Amino acid sequence: MLGKLMKYEWKATRRIFPLIYLVVLVFAVLSGLSMRGSFLRGAEDAVFSNERAMALFLAVYAILIVALVIVTIVVIIHRFYQSMLSQEGYLTHMLPVKKWQQIVSKLLMAFIWMVLAVIVIVISVAILFGMTGEFSIILQNLDWKELFQNIGMNTAEFILLIVLFVVGVVRSILQLYAAMAIGGSANAHKVAYSFLAYIVIAICTNIISVICGIGMLNNMSMTVYEYSSTLPTVSSLWVPSIILNLCISVVLFILTEYFLRKKLNLE
């Protein structure tokens, strides 16, 4: 059933993003070509030698990147609100599936779209600088293993960094869902209550993160003072941060499921 729910979510959102992705990549190419033309100004093979064209393409490219991020967040919010809290919610909540399955399906699809947005941005930046020529030569001669060694990151730490990114994205999405679920319990002004709930949740989670972060630093400092002469590395904080974000995500998930199951007040 979860697969069917995700398939439905995919069909409901798939038409929005491909065009934006394509436009971002196209303007990354155009911006790269304009930068190459600027670098090769005066050369016979220059494609764009006009600096105004370079500035224009780069400005449009930057605007498109910002638009991609905003559209992704807006679609995630709108899709959850429309299917769970608006009039369409009557049909959604009549489906013979549990609330947690509906939340998970929307969470997974939202996560996929956010990751795809990040991938498109990274690829577009690589295209942008790769088109200049000099950057592509640097990439060809780059020793990735040596690079990771120079920045002090091994394979395990790199994996931890990816896990931290994944958990952070999931937590961010669940904060939106929990706020909308709480706002959906109001009799009126659901959007305003959702916004207020998001602010309260953000403040509470940040306070918890700061308190736990200070506690972890104090414990690490005592451990370092008593048992070692080395300073704690940044990666030594990643595991506690992952655990903390996981705990917050679980609480937000339970909160979302509870309000959708017990407190929901549809329009």
Side-chain angles (χ1 to χ4, degrees):
M1 183 59 68
L2 183 60
K4 292 182 179 179
L5 289 173
M6 288 192 63
K7 184 178 180 180
Y8 180 76
E9 290 297 320
W10 169 262
K11 289 182 178 179
T13 55
R14 66 182 179 180
R15 298 179 181 179
I16 302 174
F17 295 103
L19 180 60
I20 301 177
Y21 295 160
L22 178 61
V23 173
V24 169
L25 295 176
V26 167
F27 270 89
V29 173
L30 294 176
S31 300
L33 289 174
S34 66
M35 291 175 65
R36 182 182 180 88
S38 179
F39 292 152
L40 298 176
R41 186 170 51 187
E44 294 181 356
D45 60 342
V47 180
F48 293 102
S49 59
N50 193 331
E51 293 183 358
R52 292 182 179 178
M54 181 183 70
L56 176 61
F57 284 130
L58 287 174
V60 174
Y61 170 74
I63 293 173
L64 287 172
I65 292 295
V66 175
L68 173 58
V69 175
I70 294 176
V71 168
T72 302
I73 296 174
V74 169
V75 169
I76 291 173
I77 295 174
H78 179 264
R79 180 59 196 158
F80 185 86
Y81 184 87
Q82 182 183 35
S83 61
M84 302 295 289
L85 304 175
S86 67
Q87 293 182 353
E88 185 179 330
Y90 285 105
L91 298 176
T92 302
H93 295 294
M94 289 178 62
L95 295 174
V97 293
K98 296 181 179 180
K99 291 292 183 291
W100 70 265
Q101 291 177 314
Q102 295 175 335
I103 298 172
V104 169
S105 65
K106 297 181 186 302
L107 175 62
L108 291 176
M109 190 52 57
F111 176 80
I112 290 173
W113 287 124
M114 292 193 75
V115 171
L116 284 176
V118 172
I119 292 175
V120 169
I121 292 173
V122 171
I123 293 175
S124 68
V125 171
I127 292 174
L128 173 65
F129 290 101
M131 295 297 294
T132 62
E134 296 181 2
F135 187 75
S136 60
I137 296 175
I138 296 175
L139 288 179
Q140 293 174 1
N141 298 327
L142 184 63
D143 188 342
W144 292 99
K145 184 177 180 179
E146 182 180 353
L147 175 63
F148 282 115
Q149 290 177 349
N150 290 335
I151 63 177
M153 182 181 295
N154 54 36
T155 303
E157 291 172 336
F158 182 70
I159 294 174
L160 282 177
L161 183 61
I162 294 176
V163 173
L164 182 60
F165 167 76
V166 171
V167 175
V169 172
V170 171
R171 171 187 166 178
S172 300
I173 298 172
L174 285 173
Q175 282 188 204
L176 294 171
Y177 287 176
M180 285 187 284
I182 294 172
S185 64
N187 294 325
H189 308 294
K190 298 180 184 294
V191 175
Y193 278 107
S194 297
F195 182 74
L196 179 61
Y198 182 83
I199 294 177
V200 173
I201 291 173
I203 292 174
C204 292
T205 54
N206 286 334
I207 291 175
I208 294 173
S209 299
V210 170
I211 293 174
C212 293
I214 293 175
M216 288 185 292
L217 286 175
N218 289 336
N219 291 335
M220 290 177 59
S221 299
M222 290 297 297
T223 302
V224 170
Y225 177 76
E226 294 177 358
Y227 301 106
S228 174
S229 60
T230 60
L231 293 176
T233 60
V234 175
S235 61
S236 62
L237 295 175
W238 291 349
V239 173
S241 297
I242 291 172
I243 295 174
L244 177 61
N245 280 317
L246 279 175
C247 292
I248 294 176
S249 297
V250 170
V251 173
L252 291 173
F253 186 91
I254 294 174
L255 195 64
T256 304
E257 194 273 342
Y258 172 78
F259 272 87
L260 290 178
R261 182 167 48 88
K262 293 290 188 179
K263 301 292 185 178
L264 183 61
N265 184 15
L266 291 177
E267 295 178 354

